[in-house]
Amino acid sequence: MSSSYVVSVPTWALHRGFRYPLLKLPPLSSNQLPTSRDARAVPSLSFRTHTALSPVASPLAKEGDDDEKFDWYSQWYPVMPVCDLDKRRPHAKRVIGLDVVVWWDRNEDEGQGAWKVFDDACPHRLAPLSEGRIDGLGRLQCVYHGWCFDGSGDCKFIPQAPADGPPVHTSKRACVAAYPTTVQHDIVWFWPNADPQYKDIILKKKPPYIPELDDPTFTKLISNRDIPYGYEVLIENLMDPAHVPYAHHGIMRVPQPKGSVKADREGGRPLDLRIRELDKGGFLAKQDRGNSKFIAPCVFYAFTTLPGPGNESPPSDENQNGAVALPKAKRVLLIFICIPVSPGHSRLIWTFPRNFGLWIDRVVPRWMFHVGQNLILDSDLYLLHVEEQKLMDVGSSNWQKACYVPTKSDALVVGFRRWLNKYAGGQVDWRGKYSDALPPTPPKEQLMDRYWSHVVNCSSCSAAYKALNVLEVTLQVLSLTLVGILAATKQNAMTALVRSSMVIAAILFFGASKWVAHFVYKNFRFHDYDHAFR
């Protein structure tokens, strides 16, 4: 995937990706392209201090060269979009190495209800609460021995405790760790520290806020997927626009600027990307036709105004007060929320809000959007998984030595690595929970599996998957029923026309069932991407 190039893609075009079209992106203007004289120039990243950083000549900042350190456990982390959570059951998730359970407490907020995030372990015998249920009183119940907990994590009922005995359920040892939780932008967020001092942390610090996600004039489709490579590689890939015409060839296409000559079939060319500010909280960057922002540790988004008559032409009319009426600009944002799950695993929540073509989202089912978006993710998934394995071999501290990044198109990636090394310890702080080894590489079909990484976690795709499987079985039953009728009916009991029609219908039903089965497998299970034949 990418950031800079994709920023300029009309989101409705991405949404129609279920037909696998070539997505056209606007070309860079001539003044955005380095000249032949500086085409191979070392990237110059402009920081708040107005000093230049060359990713080749200057080493990345090392841990300890700045007193201001980023605390991985004093941040809000997204868990899941609300639309993909079922209020009737608890959900197991892992975020920054913590196993948590997300559930709907209907008794919270004077009966209005609220989402809760707990430690996913019953204090009795450490059974996962995510395998439990919501009981008739709206409490989270562990199904191993029936212990029940309210929205504060307090134990309310221990079936094995005598009613006339000591109230053992009131012991602090019977409580579950309840993390501060909030909902913002229709996403459940939690603070990964259950200490009572953070109970009201939402009053002091809130999750990153993006105004367009609360603007009713923008679309709000959202999706999520578990990714079989780590947080660092995921963010770097989203910050790297130069890979789009190559890794996503045949899915996304970048038109050439007017008057330019294509250097190769895919149309790759120099890009001028620059870091404008960098501090503990992230950085700003200048990209093609817009800007991007990294809000540490999870949010990377790019925003742009699309080219077009309504955006670049001068205003032509006036309102009743004589003031010039400016045309409404067509704006698109690409918002990527990258969640560290564990070494070698991450989760991506993404949404591409736009303020035009809102009717498309009302007409096209949400799962169809996801088919095309998942294909984009799959087309470089294996590359990035292998890349991470090799980076692990050399060590994160040796990234600069292992990777040769001589052009400006790598500026954002270098900026992220600079932030990571200077402020955040060079890698995610797992607090010693994991060894340095990454999970082994599974077979490709398992590595790129869509069902367990997306479908079961997406309410729309899960419903479509079930419906299409029902359709497949129904078509097979219809085909077999017609064959049975033909076999049981005497030769002279129906006309030749009717018999021929039934034979044709049986063949069509059977063929259609096979097509549906292929469609389901390719779009909801596994879709390989062979770069050699693209």
Side-chain angles (χ1 to χ4, degrees), residues 84 366-367 370 451 454-469 524:
D84 292 323
R366 178 175 174 241
W367 67 268
H370 294 176
Y451 182 77
H454 173 73
V455 174
V456 296
N457 298 315
C458 173
S459 59
S460 301
C461 291
S462 180
Y465 178 81
K466 293 175 182 176
L468 288 169
N469 277 297
F524 294 91

Side-chain angles (χ1 to χ4, degrees), residues 308-345:
N311 298 337
E312 297 179 347
S313 60
S316 57
D317 55 347
E318 298 182 353
N319 60 23
Q320 295 178 352
N321 298 323
V324 174
L326 296 175
K328 182 180 180 180
K330 294 181 179 180
R331 298 191 62 228
V332 177
L333 284 80
L334 262 70
I335 301 172
F336 302 103
I337 304 176
C338 307
I339 307 167
V341 173
S342 62
H345 294 281

Side-chain angles (χ1 to χ4, degrees), residues 182-395:
T182 190
V183 174
Q184 181 164 289
H185 300 323
D186 295 324
I187 297 172
V188 176
W189 301 70
F190 87 110
W191 186 271
N193 194 323
D195 191 288
Q197 66 175 310
Y198 296 108
K199 181 180 179 181
D200 297 319
I201 189 65
I202 189 66
L203 301 178
K204 301 176 182 178
K205 184 175 181 179
K206 300 180 185 298
Y209 181 75
I210 302 174
E212 287 81 358
L213 291 180
D214 281 341
D215 189 334
T217 65
F218 280 77
T219 59
K220 290 183 171 57
L221 281 177
I222 195 167
S223 186
N224 75 90
R225 182 165 174 178
D226 289 343
I227 308 293
Y229 50 81
Y231 156 87
E232 296 94 335
V233 173
L234 175 62
I235 284 193
E236 285 181 356
N237 188 50
L238 298 172
M239 292 180 176
D240 172 25
H243 80 281
V244 174
Y246 299 94
H248 305 305
H249 181 69
I251 306 173
M252 306 174 69
R253 183 174 61 196
V254 184
Q256 295 291 301
K258 293 182 179 179
S260 66
V261 178
K262 289 181 66 172
D264 57 17
R265 180 192 66 166
E266 291 79 11
R269 56 182 175 270
L271 302 176
D272 188 8
L273 309 181
R274 294 177 181 272
I275 300 292
R276 295 202 329 226
E277 299 177 6
L278 187 148
D279 57 28
K280 185 178 74 169
F283 57 77
L284 299 175
K286 176 64 179 174
Q287 297 192 171
D288 170 36
R289 289 191 172 276
N291 300 282
S292 60
K293 187 173 185 179
F294 168 55
I295 306 175
C298 296
V299 178
F300 176 71
Y301 71 99
F303 40 97
T304 188
T305 299
L306 295 181
N311 298 337
E312 297 179 347
S313 60
S316 57
D317 55 347
E318 298 182 353
N319 60 23
Q320 295 178 352
N321 298 323
V324 174
L326 296 175
K328 182 180 180 180
K330 294 181 179 180
R331 298 191 62 228
V332 177
L333 284 80
L334 262 70
I335 301 172
F336 302 103
I337 304 176
C338 307
I339 307 167
V341 173
S342 62
H345 294 281
S346 56
R347 184 174 304 115
L348 176 63
I349 297 175
W350 72 89
T351 178
F352 305 146
R354 66 186 187 284
N355 62 353
F356 60 94
L358 275 64
W359 62 269
I360 298 174
D361 294 4
R362 303 187 187 102
V363 174
V364 181
R366 178 175 174 241
W367 67 268
M368 288 189 175
F369 299 159
H370 294 176
V371 168
Q373 293 162 356
N374 276 318
L375 180 62
I376 296 173
L377 284 171
D378 284 335
S379 56
D380 60 10
L381 187 151
Y382 183 75
L383 304 176
L384 297 168
H385 176 85
V386 175
E387 173 186 313
E388 182 179 40
Q389 299 281 336
K390 294 181 178 180
L391 287 174
M392 176 60 71
D393 292 339
V394 301

Side-chain angles (χ1 to χ4, degrees), residues 483-490:
V483 171
I485 292 174
L486 287 169
T489 304
K490 294 181 179 180

